[in-house]
Amino acid sequence: MNSTTSTKNGTWRNWGGTVGIRPAREVTPASVEELAAVVRKAAEDDLRVKAVGTGHSFTSIAATDGVMIRPDLLTGIRAIDRDAMTVTVEAGTPLKRLNVALAREGLSLTNMGDIMEQTVSGATSTGTHGTGRDSGSLAAQIKGLELVTADGSVLTCSPEENPEIFTAARIGLGALGIVTAITFAVEPIFLLTAREEPMPLERVLAEFDQLWAENEHFEFYWFPHTGNTITKRNNRSPGPERPLGQLSGWFEDEFLSNGVFQVANLVGRAVPATIPSIAKIASRALSTRTYTDIPYKVFTSPRRVRFVEMEYAIPRAALVDTLRELKAMVDRSDLRVSFPVEVRTTPADDIPLSTASGRDSAYVAIHMFRGTPYQRYFTAAERIFVAHEGRPHWGKLHTQNADYFAEVYPRFAEFTALRDRLDPHRRFQNDYLRRVLGA
């Protein structure tokens, strides 16, 4: 059983605690052939089918009352092609295991998100991304994939084979079939130097275009109720390797970012009036630090404090206005927000349902501590994001539906037409897909 989700008394719950489901049956196939047979049997029994990974989506994108497929046994590297510089990996492989295995082989993904608990198929199917001036989401690094479709067929998809399906299924939301293997582009392992530095929000906004242009990977966290941010710049480095010292790494990543942060959030949840003061202290607790290490040790960090999250992609040019509006909204309200706002970017890509489809994008992610009321904050923020033609992350909370997505995704109809072709009887349908893709 995966450690990030649980099934108790027949009820499966996601990591964020926002979804609980009771599937009719739960299966853990040990091969692609077994999985295809499960799909065919579900069709005979007229049951819907969904694959579920580690449950890191806050939406009900993986929920089903039919057959829930756990990919726990579909793990590991199938093949490494050093001529093509690709790795083919089973869909249930956690990103953490992939990163460690690649490093052992002297290889790395080019870019990645900030956590690595998810399965490769769950992360790519929902559009998981990191930050990058030139390098895009995990799905943008896919060179091929294997898909079990609604009739139990196993399709191999790439730019040369089933190219139309390949294009869309890189971020397929689980609507086109069940991804069973993914081929990623990889490169020889390299070093990144990270510089984390506190900076006033006004300076970050004034210099944002320059900070973005000068760094391969730039992101920042703004602490609501303050004018403070912590910025992070990751750039390739010739070395030498200078990892975080064990003590300083533990103090900032485990003690401050997880231990003390957990306690601060518990205090804030009990006494909301203390949150602005806590935010001021927290935003000053983190100091400047520089370290050099292999990619996954720089891009990712542990996240042990549980939260709920909304994230929207907006045109990169609209970021500064969006942040100013968000800050003004929080400042004039009586909201008490204990989690920092995370800001990242990716370049435009050619994936129909990618949040960066056809446009250079900036991402604004807002969070609330699990168990605190989040609806007012998320509703007010969502109004701002929508005013800038924002596209919500498919695995994070939002209230949009197919009508909205048809407006903000130029290739939306292309995706839904492909879905009609591959899954005419909606074997992979659930309430979430009905809302976001239409019936």
Side-chain angles (χ1 to χ4, degrees):
M1 187 62 59
N2 202 296
S3 61
T4 54
T5 61
S6 60
T7 307
K8 285 182 187 164
N9 308 320
T11 300
W12 176 90
R13 296 195 183 282
N14 66 339
W15 182 87
T18 52
V19 179
I21 55 170
R22 292 176 72 89
R25 51 181 187 253
E26 189 175 326
V27 292
T28 310
S31 67
V32 176
E33 293 72 30
E34 269 187 40
L35 193 153
V38 167
V39 172
R40 287 193 291 270
K41 179 76 170 74
E44 286 172 25
D45 298 341
D46 197 26
L47 290 171
R48 306 232 188 261
V49 184
K50 297 303 291 181
V52 64
T54 55
H56 269 268
S57 288
F58 299 92
T59 62
S60 54
I61 191 166
T64 186
D65 57 3
V67 180
M68 186 168 82
I69 294 177
R70 305 291 299 247
D72 303 30
L73 301 179
L74 298 173
T75 63
I77 289 177
R78 272 193 198 176
I80 293 173
D81 184 335
R82 290 184 185 271
D83 294 327
M85 287 306 281
T86 60
V87 59
T88 301
V89 62
E90 302 273 355
T93 309
L95 285 165
K96 182 183 285 184
R97 278 181 56 191
L98 173 62
N99 287 332
V100 170
L102 285 176
R104 212 180 289 130
E105 296 285 341
L107 300 169
S108 177
L109 296 168
T110 297
N111 197 0
M112 57 195 80
D114 56 7
I115 62 168
M116 53 178 179
E117 310 305 320
Q118 315 101 306
T119 61
V120 292
S121 56
T124 54
S125 294
T126 54
T128 295
H129 61 91
T131 191
R133 182 190 60 206
D134 311 307
S135 52
S137 69
L138 279 171
Q141 298 168 67
I142 294 177
K143 295 297 179 189
L145 54 86
E146 183 180 78
L147 191 72
V148 173
T149 56
D151 63 2
S153 303
V154 182
L155 300 182
T156 305
C157 307
S158 70
E160 295 74 42
E161 198 174 351
N162 296 307
E164 186 189 1
I165 298 172
F166 168 75
T167 295
R170 286 175 290 171
I171 298 180
L173 317 188
L176 304 178
I178 295 174
V179 174
T180 48
I182 297 174
T183 299
F184 289 104
V186 291
E187 58 178 301
I189 202 162
F190 53 94
L191 292 174
L192 285 170
T193 292
R195 179 174 171 79
E196 297 172 9
E197 180 185 5
M199 200 178 283
L201 176 64
E202 276 309 314
R203 183 181 156 199
V204 174
L205 296 182
E207 298 177 13
F208 176 74
D209 287 340
Q210 183 184 346
L211 288 163
W212 169 82
E214 288 177 353
N215 295 284
E216 290 172 70
H217 308 274
F218 175 71
E219 63 187 304
F220 68 93
Y221 295 82
W222 163 59
F223 294 80
H225 312 297
T226 80
N228 305 329
T229 77
I230 187 89
T231 62
K232 186 176 183 186
R233 289 171 263 197
N234 301 330
N235 291 288
R236 292 194 185 216
S237 165
E241 214 167 303
R242 283 206 180 88
L244 277 172
Q246 268 192 308
L247 186 61
S248 65
W250 175 85
F251 182 72
E252 295 238 330
D253 291 334
E254 288 299 332
F255 183 67
L256 284 180
S257 298
N258 286 300
V260 170
F261 191 53
Q262 171 87 10
V263 172
N265 272 281
L266 288 166
V267 171
R269 187 167 71 186
V271 190
T274 60
I275 287 174
S277 303
I278 292 171
K280 288 182 177 69
I281 295 164
S283 66
R284 294 192 187 113
L286 298 170
S287 55
T288 299
R289 61 179 187 174
T290 303
Y291 51 97
T292 301
D293 214 329
I294 60 174
Y296 83 85
K297 294 185 178 179
V298 173
F299 283 130
T300 69
S301 51
R303 291 278 186 275
R304 304 196 208 291
V305 182
R306 301 221 176 190
F307 53 82
V308 291
E309 181 176 1
M310 170 182 281
E311 180 183 65
Y312 267 73
I314 52 175
R316 201 184 70 236
L319 174 71
V320 171
D321 287 345
T322 302
L323 256 288
R324 289 193 196 286
E325 289 164 30
L326 189 65
K327 184 176 188 301
M329 180 273 289
V330 171
D331 287 349
R332 68 171 176 262
S333 74
D334 61 354
L335 292 167
R336 294 292 174 258
V337 181
S338 61
F339 257 80
V341 172
E342 182 181 23
V343 179
R344 295 174 289 174
T345 68
T346 60
D349 64 40
D350 64 346
I351 305 170
L353 290 192
S354 165
T355 45
S357 186
R359 72 184 191 194
D360 291 345
S361 298
Y363 297 85
V364 182
I366 62 172
H367 313 71
M368 284 290 259
F369 186 46
R370 193 163 104 169
T372 49
Y374 62 84
Q375 287 86 350
R376 268 204 316 139
Y377 175 39
F378 283 20
T379 299
E382 192 172 36
R383 274 193 214 109
I384 294 168
F385 302 148
V386 166
H388 292 285
E389 298 186 343
R391 298 168 178 169
H393 187 300
W394 297 108
K396 296 175 185 177
L397 297 177
H398 67 88
T399 64
Q400 306 310 328
N401 61 25
D403 293 338
Y404 179 78
F405 293 124
E407 288 176 26
V408 296
Y409 282 99
R411 299 172 68 182
F412 188 74
E414 180 186 324
F415 186 93
T416 54
L418 182 63
R419 179 190 184 216
D420 288 341
R421 196 177 99 210
L422 290 176
D423 188 14
H425 304 298
R426 299 295 189 256
R427 187 65 45 219
F428 304 117
Q429 174 88 290
N430 62 9
D431 289 343
Y432 180 79
L433 292 183
R434 191 178 292 110
R435 171 162 72 91
V436 301
L437 296 177

